[in-house]
Amino acid sequence: MAGHVFGRSAAQMPTAVAGAGCYIIDADGKRYLDGSGGAAVSCLGHDHPAVRAALHAQIDKIAFAHTGFFTSEPAEVLCDALIAAAPKGIEKVYLLSGGSESVEAALKLARQFFLETGEPRRHRVIARRQSYHGNTLGALAAGGNAWRREKYAPLLVETSHIDPCYAYRHQAVGESDAAYGRRAADALRTEIERLGPETVMAFIAEPVVGATAGAVPPAPGYFERIREICDEYGVLLILDEVMCGMGRTGTLFACEQDGISPDIVTIAKGLGAGYAPIGAMLASGRIYDAIAQGSGSFQHGHTYHGHPLAAAAAGAVVETLRAPGTMAQVRAKGATLQSRLEAALGQHSHVGDIRGRGLFRGIELVEDRDSKRPLDPARKVSARIKAAAMARGLICYPGSGTIDGKHGDHILLAPPFIIEDKQIDALVHMLAGAIDDAMAVTEA
């Protein structure tokens, strides 16, 4: 008999009852290798002792104190640790309860910044097609995924969307990586000019695009040029690292690899590693000072933001991620995963591209490798791969609508940073089998 949980869909899910390292165990005792960290969340696996100990210790002190009245020691320690490792110029942390909240706060902060600094006409946001920035209305409006936006379009604030930096689909034949990166970035300049620079407040982008496109990395020089354009027009650069940050791509902040600093950066998912719901918006000192020396307060807040238990968990996570050798291990394991995927699937007739950074990898599926023609959406290949993988004991994160919100299929992989080589081999073996299982059904 069905229970009373309003789930994501009407489908009946197995009940998770335990976690052990890279595995989730259901009520029937079946073990699932967590090849995607849920949604790139469980970066330290499912029973990390330091994080569990931090939660146990904090619950014996205080669980909740409203941020309208108090700060807390775990929040202070966490924010200090994040700023110690943050991109240059980032000086303050606003703790929240997840990624969507973090992006929502970033957009509101950008607007208030320009009100405080005497530019009230700046209100427009520019983002990229096939981006995903969250499911609250402001974050959803910024996102560029047509399928996610469709039902709620009448409720969404108007946002401009330019083409993503997506070399597999948009780089011209014979065009160098650097030339493509600059061309893709210059689309932002064109859109700012079209809208009127005096009306544009922010450009938001994922350094490595996650759920909606499958670990798409930027072309060389792309974000350096984006930073130049934002500076030229006085537009704030918001980097959404909710999925790709906190070590997922091999550096604590993904943008480190692109050599730039944003004005605002959002993090979540790996920040709490699944042990507590937490996110954060980090802002530059310039933005914070404009508020502090102006009206004196950011007109925003949530009941549970800065929750001491969540901050304690995240503090233990960040301490672990910043430990010597952790990021080097992510990069090494990521290279191993990439090489194993290429060996198993690089010549597969329905695999068009294998991409990503660190332990954040995407596989784009196609009908035809030479033409890059996508699979027929009616075949629902992504959903079938998810089901086939679960049947084999693998959790992966397939997605559809990769190209334009309707066409295209991909698989996203984001295993825990503690994954061992033999588990990488098992992941790839099960994934290759699941792809073949799904394709066999749809081709029958």
Side-chain angles (χ1 to χ4, degrees), residues 35-89:
S36 62
V41 175
S42 299
C43 59
L44 297 181
H46 296 280
D47 60 347
H48 196 278
V51 186
R52 293 171 61 187
L55 283 164
H56 282 293
Q58 186 59 38
I59 197 70
D60 289 335
K61 296 177 182 177
I62 186 169
F64 174 73
H66 194 282
T67 52
F69 302 93
F70 296 97
T71 185
S72 71
E73 182 182 4
E76 296 288 341
V77 170
L78 171 60
C79 292
D80 287 348
L82 287 171
I83 293 304
K88 183 179 179 181

Side-chain angles (χ1 to χ4, degrees), residues 278-301:
I278 189 167
M281 174 196 68
L282 289 73
S284 69
R286 177 174 73 105
I287 293 175
Y288 177 82
D289 289 344
I291 307 295
Q293 297 167 15
S295 65
S297 63
F298 178 29
Q299 192 175 327
H300 182 67

